[in-house]
Every structure is written in C-alpha cells, then in structure tokens.
Amino acid sequence: MHIIKSKYLVFTMLLLLFSKYNIAQSPGCIDINNRITYSFPIKGELNIKQLSTYTNVITGQYQDLNETGIVIAKTYMDSVIWTKKYQSTLQGISIVNAIQLPDNSIVANSASYVGNNFMLARFKANGNLLWIKKYSLPLQNFEINVGNQTNNSIVYNNGYIYISTIYSGIFYPDEFFNIVAKLDLDGNPIWTTTLRKKFPVVTESSDPPMIIDDTVTVIANSVHKSVITGRTDSLGTVITRLDANTGNIISATEIKTPPDKFIKGTYVVNAKIFKDKSICLTGVMGEYYPDGTNISKFSYMPFVLKLDADLNFIAAKHFVYPIFASFQNYGFGNYTICINNNKQTGFLLRDAHSNLIHTLIIDSNLTINRTRVFYPNAQVYFGKGTFNLDDDVTSIYGFSNYKNNQGQTELEYFRINNLIPTNTIDCFGRDTSVFVTKNFTTLKDSFIWDIQMTDNLIATPLTLVEKPITITKETICTQTSICDSIKIKGETEHCLSNPNASFTIYKNPKCIRKTYWQVDTTAIKIIDQPNDSVINVQFIKPFHGYIKAAFEGCVLKDSLYINVYPLIAPLFLGKDTTLCPGQSITLNGGPGFKTYKWQDNSSSSTFIANKPGTYYLQVTDSCNNVFRDTIIINPLEKSLNLSYQNTLCLSDTAMIALDSRFQHYTWSPQQDGIIQNNVLKLFPKISTSFQVSAQPFYGCTVSNTLFVKVEICPEYVYLPTAFTPNNDGLNDIFKPIVSGHIEQYKFLIYNRYGQQIFSSQKINEGWDGAINGMPQDAGAFTWVCFYKFRNGKKVLKKGSVILIR
C-alpha cells in the first residue's frame, strides 16, 4: 500500500504497473483499488460509467456564464486517454449515461434542463462527435421529464439502439408517457411505442429495455396514489413485453407485494434479463415506519427480486437499516443500483441524515457478500452518485462536487475490487454489517395500458462546437494486489496411522485476494486455517486425489495430488515355532508396506524358511515409519520311535504302546489294526511292515516303519509238576504255559480236602501258593484246566502239582 499525490496529465504509476504485468496475457489476477479525483475546469456535474473491465467514460454538463455544453472523457486503467468539451446553443444540455458499441464508438443519452429535450449523441472511439440529435413527441403540452435525464436509458442489441424515457405533461406533471423506441445506428427512429396509464396510477419507466429472442422487455414502476390526498398507497412494477420488430405489445404484467400496513411495494431502479429469460429486479422498497403513534414516516430500503421466465416469484429479500434512517430518494435516481451478468447486485446508498455512503454487494443467492461505509470528500446530492458493478465484482462509483471557490468540478472516483479481503485501508472506507436481511413475496396480475400510441419520435439534428479542455487527476490512495502465482506445498504421501497434515500456499507477497481451498470432505476434514495460506487437515479415510487452492474470482489455481494409505496391521511374523522335518515355513510380512528387508537383505514381502534358525524382518510404510520383528524356528526334538521285538503267532495280536506326545496316529495297511487306550493293536496274518504316521503338532506329520513278524506257532497247554513260591523270582507262580491262541479258558486248584483255593480265566494269571495271603504248607494240590484254541475243540485237563517249601 502506498499513497500517491500528483497533478500531471500523464499516465500514472497505475498504468505502468498494469503494463509491466501485461494483464491481457497474465494467467493470474492483478487488482487495483484506487481513489482518484478528476478535476474539470467547469461549473457543472459529472458522472462515470464503466464500459469494460478497465475502461470508463466520464460524462457531464457545464453551465458557465457565457456558454453551456457537455464534457466527455475516456479512461483506461484509471488514466485519462482523451477528454472532449462541446459547446451547445441549446441551454441546459447534459450528458449522463453512455454505452460502448462493438466498434468502440460511444453512444450517450442526455437531456436539456431548459429546453426539456431528450437527446442522443454518438462519439467516435477517439471522442470526436459523429452526431447528436434531440427527440420530441408529436404531442402538445408534453416534454421530457427532467428527472429522467439521469436514467440508464439506452441499450445496444444486434445493430440497433433501444431507448426508454418518460415525457410528462407540462400542466399535469403526474401524467406520464412511457416511451420505448428502436433506432438505427445513426439515431433515426424505426418504431416508437408510447404507453400511458391514467391517474391515479402513475407509471414511470425504469432502466433501458432488455432484449432477448426478438422480445423487448420494458420495466415501469406503477405508483398507486390516493385520489383525495395524493399520498402513495402502494407501489408496483409493470413488466411489458414488446415485439422487437414492430414494437407491438405482447403482454403486460404487474408485480406487487401483498397488502400490508407498512410495506407499500417495490420501486424498480434497475433490471436484467438472463439467457434463461429469468429476470432480476432491484430497487427500493417503499415502507412506512412507525413514528410514535403515526406511520407516516416513509423510507426506501434496497431490495432484490427474482422472477422466472413466466414472471412467477422465485425469491426476494430487502435489506433494512437497523436504526431508522431513510435514504434520500436515491431510489428515484439512477446509477445507484446495478446488476452484473453473474446475477450479483450492487447498491450505492446515501444516508438521508448525513453524507454517509453505504455500498452493498448482494450475491446471486440473495445473501450479503460485502458491505462498506465511507464519507466521500464531495457533498453528495440526489442523482450525483454513480455506481457500476462488473462481472469481476469490481465496484466503480463516483461523486460530483462543484467547488465554487476554485471554479472547477471534481469527480471523486472509487475503484474497489470486492474480492480483495476486507482489511483494506481506511481510504476506501471500512467494512460494516449494518443491514438486516428480510424476506418478502410478490403477486402477479395482468395489466392493461390505458393508452398505446405508435407515432414515431421526431429526431432533430443538433450542432456542437468542440472547445479545448485540460483536466487533472489526483490519486488520493491506491492499493495493489498481484496474484500471479500460486503453489501448494506439503507431503504427498500420508498414512491414517498419522492422520494430521498441513498444506501451505506459496504466492506473490503482494497478493491479498482471499484464498479458497477445495478438498474432498468425505475423506479430508479441515481442522483449522491459521492464516490465508495454511490449512491443517485430518484424514478420515484412504484417499487418492487432489487438494486444490485458488484465489477468489481468479482463474489461477493449483492442485496437489496426495495419497492417503489405510491403516496397516502391525508387523508380526508369528510366535516362535518348530520346523517340521522335510517341510518349510513361509514367513509373511503382510501387504501394504513400502519396503521389506529380511535378514539376508532380500526385499520380498514373504520369506521361505526351510531350516531352523532366527529370522528378522524390517519394513517401512508409505510414511517412512520403520517396524521390525523377529521369529525363532526351532528343530523338532522328538522322534516317532516304534518297535515290536517279539514274534507274533498267527491269529495273535501285537500290542504297541504309543507315545502320548504325538497325535492323530495313522498306519498302513490300516485294515490290520486298531487303537485302544493309546495302544496300537495289530493282528496281521502274515509278517508285515507297517508305515505308522503321527503329528507332534498340527500341520506336521512324521513317520516310521514297524515290522511285525508272524509265525505259525504249535498249540498246547503245559502245566509244571512242582513250583517253589519263595519269592526268589524263579518258579514262584504256578500257571499253565500256553502256546497258541486260546479263545476260552478256566483254571482251578483244589487242596487235599477238595476245597477250591484258586480260580482264574486269565491265561497269564497263576497261584502264588497262598490262601487269602496265608502261605500254604508244602504238599500236593489238584488242578483242573478248561480251554479251547481258535478253530479247536474244548479240552478238559486234570493233574496235580507239588508245592515245595
């Protein structure tokens, strides 16, 4: 920010700055806020109109003692390109609104304070006059309405000029004729439509006609007055559609607010029709405010009303000063309210009780975007404030002030880019939020004009004489924003294990436009924004996409592609384990890590271990976090030992005790055995090698071979004739000696008295020479043995045995 004060008719530093950065080719946005005073050596009044983004035209009139006329000047980037002064023989001539045609020529509408004439003038691109004409109605006692000279009365469309103006009765000023006319580029009328509504309804045309699809739409305000008191009862808006080729009426509709004690309707100052044929109306709302016990205090508050192509209500809001203060009739003047092509509305309002100026920018959704308040140096009167709002949300407004002691008229000019943050310097006013938003609704009804005439306007050429003029420019303050670069910096790889991150925008330090961040809110949450260039975020879920940033209202933007990876299961190779002989173990580090490093420096996510040992893995994730794990693989320290030392007699059973440390025993051939009580019972018919397998732990199977030799053994039962139960380990038990497989068996012993002293059905069980634990004396004892071999007959044997002590 810097302050410049100069009074030289040269391109200022602003022009140099714009030239340096070559705005037309810059990919970014360079914005200038300026507050400038243009001084004209005349006594008169000045206005300013924006022709394009950086081009303005200053128009006005002068009324000196000896001459009267108009002035017009063109500026580019706020520096004066040319200035023209034209003297007129017509008293009170002025020039107010101006438009630029495709060939860069300028058409301006004007009027005469004294002669009450409506005029049009066309100037070449260099300001030289092409033609000027005054227009009159072929009616007596009607003249141009003096207040209408400040209206935006002209519009260009498809090779024609369309005008809208008001003629009023000389003796009856409330009798208005609303004039709509189509002219060629030389100012000659092609058709004229004159519309009138008789008192007590007074109709006043608003801003210029709107043309789309060969239809001319004209807006007029309908003021409904009391026949008795002349007081305004209600306000409405008449929307009339004319055929662009003939000027004939297609339809007329009146838009009014519902009956209300305080709200008396809308007074439209500006309107715009869009490609979808919807219409945006802006102006002031007439309201009676309570004043003690009276409701006679009338005020005008700004409003915006949106209608669809069929003029049905869409939305409407008006913006109320919280502390009552009326705005001094600004709603009946022009250049105070404007609409851009983005359906944004700008208001320039003066407090009726002071010289305080309010500006409001209303977004297309009817919310307040920006408000500003300031005191201009000039004393602002009705009709002397002009306002423009372009599609880049740049506000252009100016105030005319005649300084009698200096013999000059000043135009105090402001260029404020509303996309620059609100902390602008005080020279451009200060941001405020004094307005309260209120909703309202409207109704539509058919409307009939009492009078429609098609008599053409009468055009009369005029002559102007160019006079020399030099103007000066003083830059009061300026503020520059250069947004020609933007770069997002931050880490591109992220993990949900560490979900927080920061991103920073690097931009030209001279850029003060607001920065907007754009993120996928389903995956990224902006936690806070410490300043305009930094955001702190938290990742909510995995994401692969862009974080974007841009300057508000600027095409320059940047994006950063980032990856946010999901949570990864902790690195775990498993518990220490045992390697099954002849097998291998696949160790798995798990998916999702960026790098893997095993103990042998291999880099696969898996490793095959085929021998016992200690194995080690180190991994890094996508965020370069390091994780490690170790596993010990032990050898199997137990073996499956199986043997059968004896020879198995045919038809007998081999019984092998099994090692309980093993599970899930199997053998082959399987049909020759069973397991009972952890004992493997085999009964082969021939000598057989059995393949026995078992699991020391789940998933590991070990095997061994067991050979069982089978022989055909003799079948007999032999009982000794004597035994010596003296516990010397030799011949202490008396029992049969059996060879062969006995299916049935019983063994009995008797004493000399014929008493049974022993009995058993178990072949391996015998008598130890005692009865109930009492050793028997030496002597002879009698035995009886019953038995039957497999496939044999039952046999009964008897005999005696000698017990020797």
Side-chain angles (χ1 to χ4, degrees):
M1 178 188 73
H2 54 283
I3 305 297
I4 302 174
K5 286 196 176 183
S6 62
K7 290 192 175 183
Y8 299 96
L9 191 59
V10 295
F11 285 106
T12 62
M13 291 178 65
L14 173 63
L15 179 57
L16 297 175
L17 177 64
F18 274 70
S19 300
K20 175 181 177 181
Y21 285 94
N22 192 8
I23 288 179
Q25 299 178 13
S26 172
C29 296
I30 301 176
D31 306 303
I32 299 293
N33 283 352
N34 266 339
R35 183 169 180 174
I36 295 171
T37 297
Y38 298 101
S39 298
F40 288 69
I42 61 171
K43 176 184 178 181
E45 182 177 329
L46 300 170
N47 304 276
I48 192 164
K49 177 67 180 294
Q50 186 180 32
L51 299 180
S52 64
T53 302
Y54 301 110
T55 304
N56 299 326
V57 61
I58 300 173
T59 60
Q61 58 85 22
Y62 69 93
Q63 184 74 44
D64 294 332
L65 292 177
N66 299 320
E67 66 178 69
T68 182
I70 60 174
V71 291
I72 182 170
K74 186 176 183 180
T75 67
Y76 180 67
M77 301 175 188
D78 297 340
S79 291
V80 179
I81 305 302
W82 50 256
T83 305
K84 297 289 183 178
K85 178 182 179 182
Y86 293 98
Q87 180 183 351
S88 173
T89 57
L90 187 65
Q91 293 296 309
I93 188 173
S94 68
I95 179 171
V96 183
N97 181 47
I99 60 173
Q100 184 168 266
L101 302 188
D103 63 355
N104 292 326
S105 64
I106 296 173
V107 176
N109 70 282
S110 61
S112 169
Y113 285 108
V114 179
N116 295 320
N117 293 289
F118 178 80
M119 286 170 289
L120 280 184
R122 184 177 179 187
F123 302 88
K124 294 181 180 180
N126 60 4
N128 292 335
L129 180 66
L130 281 171
W131 52 260
I132 181 169
K133 295 180 180 180
K134 67 176 182 178
Y135 298 86
S136 59
L137 275 176
L139 297 173
Q140 294 182 351
N141 300 325
F142 278 86
E143 61 190 5
I144 182 70
N145 183 266
V146 176
N148 189 62
Q149 64 178 320
T150 59
N151 278 7
N152 295 322
S153 301
I154 52 176
V155 66
Y156 170 84
N157 182 266
N158 199 24
Y160 295 98
I161 300 170
Y162 295 83
I163 66 171
S164 174
T165 187
I166 303 172
Y167 281 79
S168 58
I170 297 175
F171 303 108
Y172 302 98
D174 281 339
E175 295 186 25
F176 287 170
F177 279 93
N178 301 272
I179 310 298
V180 185
K182 179 179 181 180
L183 313 176
D184 63 21
L185 297 185
D186 293 322
N188 300 313
I190 296 175
W191 55 254
T192 303
T193 296
T194 304
L195 304 171
R196 182 187 172 193
K197 190 71 174 177
K198 293 181 180 180
F199 189 84
V201 179
V202 179
T203 55
E204 305 172 3
S205 297
S206 181
D207 269 358
M210 302 173 290
I211 300 95
I212 188 170
D213 293 344
D214 291 328
T215 300
V216 179
T217 301
V218 181
I219 306 296
N221 292 298
S222 54
V223 182
H224 298 256
K225 295 190 174 185
S226 170
V227 177
I228 299 175
T229 65
R231 171 179 166 179
T232 298
D233 286 335
S234 63
L235 301 171
T237 302
V238 178
I239 301 176
T240 305
R241 288 170 171 161
L242 309 175
D243 187 306
N245 297 312
T246 64
N248 294 331
I249 294 178
I250 299 174
S251 64
T253 304
E254 185 173 24
I255 306 297
K256 298 185 66 175
T257 56
D260 187 90
K261 181 178 181 181
F262 299 109
I263 296 176
K264 296 305 176 184
T266 57
Y267 191 96
V268 174
V269 177
N270 207 329
K272 197 172 189 69
I273 191 168
F274 301 96
K275 291 182 179 179
D276 61 0
K277 299 184 181 180
S278 64
I279 296 179
C280 182
L281 303 175
T282 64
V284 289
M285 175 170 287
E287 299 180 63
Y288 284 103
Y289 276 76
D291 183 13
T293 59
N294 301 316
I295 59 169
S296 60
K297 201 169 186 179
F298 200 68
S299 179
Y300 296 100
M301 294 292 169
F303 78 88
V304 180
L305 168 62
K306 297 170 71 174
L307 305 174
D308 65 16
D310 296 322
L311 306 184
N312 295 311
F313 177 85
I314 297 177
K317 290 185 180 180
H318 67 120
F319 309 93
V320 180
Y321 219 15
I323 301 174
F324 173 76
S326 66
F327 295 104
Q328 182 185 340
N329 285 343
Y330 71 88
F332 295 100
N334 290 290
Y335 313 109
T336 56
I337 305 175
C338 51
I339 312 169
N340 64 17
N341 291 319
N342 297 323
K343 300 185 180 181
Q344 295 167 306
T345 306
F347 294 90
L348 181 67
L349 316 171
R350 183 175 79 84
D351 192 321
H353 302 288
S354 67
N355 208 36
L356 191 66
I357 298 297
H358 292 273
T359 62
L360 287 84
I361 307 298
I362 310 300
D363 279 338
S364 59
N365 59 3
L366 304 190
T367 59
I368 297 177
N369 174 284
R370 178 73 58 85
T371 63
R372 189 177 296 276
V373 62
F374 58 90
Y375 283 97
N377 292 331
Q379 179 65 35
V380 181
Y381 296 100
F382 164 68
K384 295 186 179 181
T386 57
F387 189 31
N388 302 269
L389 180 68
D390 66 15
D391 294 344
D392 295 324
V393 203
T394 295
S395 300
I396 302 293
Y397 41 92
F399 307 99
S400 180
N401 183 35
Y402 172 64
K403 293 187 174 181
N404 188 45
N405 60 337
Q406 300 178 16
Q408 64 181 16
T409 299
E410 293 181 347
L411 179 72
E412 188 176 357
Y413 160 80
F414 291 78
R415 171 190 289 271
I416 297 181
N417 188 307
N418 289 287
L419 297 178
I420 294 180
T422 57
N423 57 339
T424 53
I425 58 180
D426 290 341
C427 183
F428 300 109
R430 56 185 173 83
D431 290 296
T432 181
S433 300
V434 298
F435 286 88
V436 176
T437 302
K438 293 185 177 181
N439 297 318
F440 71 95
T441 187
T442 60
L443 307 172
K444 73 172 183 177
D445 196 2
S446 59
F447 185 87
I448 298 176
W449 290 98
D450 293 333
I451 298 174
Q452 179 188 3
M453 299 184 296
T454 58
D455 295 336
N456 263 345
L457 287 171
I458 300 172
T460 304
L462 297 176
T463 300
L464 300 179
V465 179
E466 184 175 352
K467 294 286 186 175
I469 186 173
T470 300
I471 69 172
T472 59
K473 166 189 163 184
E474 180 182 2
T475 300
I476 305 301
C477 54
T478 185
Q479 184 180 40
T480 305
S481 173
I482 305 173
C483 301
D484 57 352
S485 63
I486 182 171
K487 184 66 177 178
I488 303 175
K489 291 190 177 181
E491 296 293 331
T492 59
E493 305 295 316
H494 302 272
C495 297
L496 285 180
S497 57
N498 183 18
N500 296 324
S502 295
F503 297 92
T504 302
I505 288 177
Y506 290 83
K507 59 183 180 179
N508 191 324
K510 294 183 179 180
C511 176
I512 57 177
R513 275 206 186 202
K514 186 175 181 180
T515 303
Y516 280 93
W517 294 86
Q518 181 181 352
V519 301
D520 184 339
T521 55
T522 65
I524 304 172
K525 177 183 179 181
I526 297 179
I527 301 174
D528 64 357
Q529 190 170 349
N531 54 58
D532 195 49
S533 300
V534 178
I535 57 169
N536 297 318
V537 304
Q538 184 179 71
F539 301 115
I540 304 171
K541 66 178 183 179
F543 175 73
H544 303 280
Y546 289 95
I547 286 182
K548 300 178 181 179
F551 301 120
E552 181 183 9
C554 186
V555 296
L556 187 64
K557 56 187 175 182
D558 190 35
S559 60
L560 182 68
Y561 191 86
I562 65 170
N563 294 300
V564 181
Y565 298 99
L567 289 171
I568 302 175
L571 176 64
F572 182 58
L573 296 177
K575 296 181 179 180
D576 293 347
T577 186
T578 300
L579 181 64
C580 185
Q583 296 185 13
S584 63
I585 296 176
T586 299
L587 303 177
N588 195 336
F593 293 106
K594 186 168 67 174
T595 65
Y596 299 82
K597 183 179 179 181
W598 295 90
Q599 70 287 334
D600 64 348
N601 292 324
S602 60
S603 58
S604 175
S605 63
T606 59
F607 186 89
I608 298 176
N610 49 28
K611 62 181 180 180
T614 300
Y615 294 84
Y616 171 89
L617 175 61
Q618 175 179 297
V619 298
T620 59
D621 63 15
S622 297
C623 300
N624 295 320
N625 298 311
V626 179
F627 305 92
R628 301 176 180 88
D629 195 24
T630 300
I631 185 172
I632 297 175
I633 298 179
N634 299 299
L636 184 63
E637 296 180 349
K638 52 189 175 182
S639 58
L640 184 62
N641 296 318
L642 299 171
S643 65
Y644 186 73
Q645 302 296 332
N646 300 325
T647 299
L648 183 67
C649 293
L650 182 64
S651 300
D652 209 346
T653 300
M655 292 185 287
I656 301 96
L658 299 177
D659 190 338
S660 60
R661 298 177 299 171
F662 293 83
Q663 298 177 356
H664 305 294
Y665 280 90
T666 60
W667 61 93
S668 179
Q670 189 174 7
Q671 66 271 19
D672 294 331
I674 58 173
I675 293 178
Q676 291 180 338
N677 300 324
N678 211 39
V679 174
L680 175 60
K681 296 181 179 180
L682 301 174
F683 30 87
K685 295 181 174 59
I686 60 175
S687 297
T688 304
S689 289
F690 290 90
Q691 187 70 26
V692 182
S693 300
Q695 292 184 352
F697 54 86
Y698 180 78
C700 178
T701 301
V702 295
S703 301
N704 202 349
T705 300
L706 175 66
F707 180 74
V708 178
K709 184 179 180 180
V710 177
E711 293 183 348
I712 299 176
C713 300
E715 294 181 341
Y716 62 84
V717 176
Y718 168 76
L719 283 92
T721 59
F723 73 107
T724 57
N726 55 6
N727 296 324
D728 62 357
L730 298 174
N731 207 24
D732 290 328
I733 301 297
F734 174 62
K735 63 179 180 178
I737 298 172
V738 179
S739 175
H741 184 80
I742 292 180
E743 291 182 341
Q744 298 180 18
Y745 168 81
K746 189 173 184 179
F747 181 54
L748 303 171
I749 299 177
Y750 299 90
N751 60 15
R752 70 171 68 96
Y753 304 110
Q755 296 174 325
Q756 180 180 314
I757 57 175
F758 177 80
S759 175
S760 176
Q761 292 182 341
K762 298 179 180 179
I763 295 175
N764 293 322
E765 190 175 66
W767 183 47
D768 61 358
I771 298 176
N772 296 327
M774 294 293 295
Q776 297 297 305
D777 294 336
F781 293 85
T782 302
W783 54 267
V784 177
C785 183
F786 299 91
Y787 60 90
K788 176 182 181 300
F789 286 101
R790 182 182 296 172
N791 301 323
K793 297 180 180 181
K794 294 181 179 180
V795 176
L796 174 62
K797 281 189 176 184
K798 297 181 179 180
S800 62
V801 63
I802 301 298
L803 187 156
I804 301 175
R805 292 286 183 186

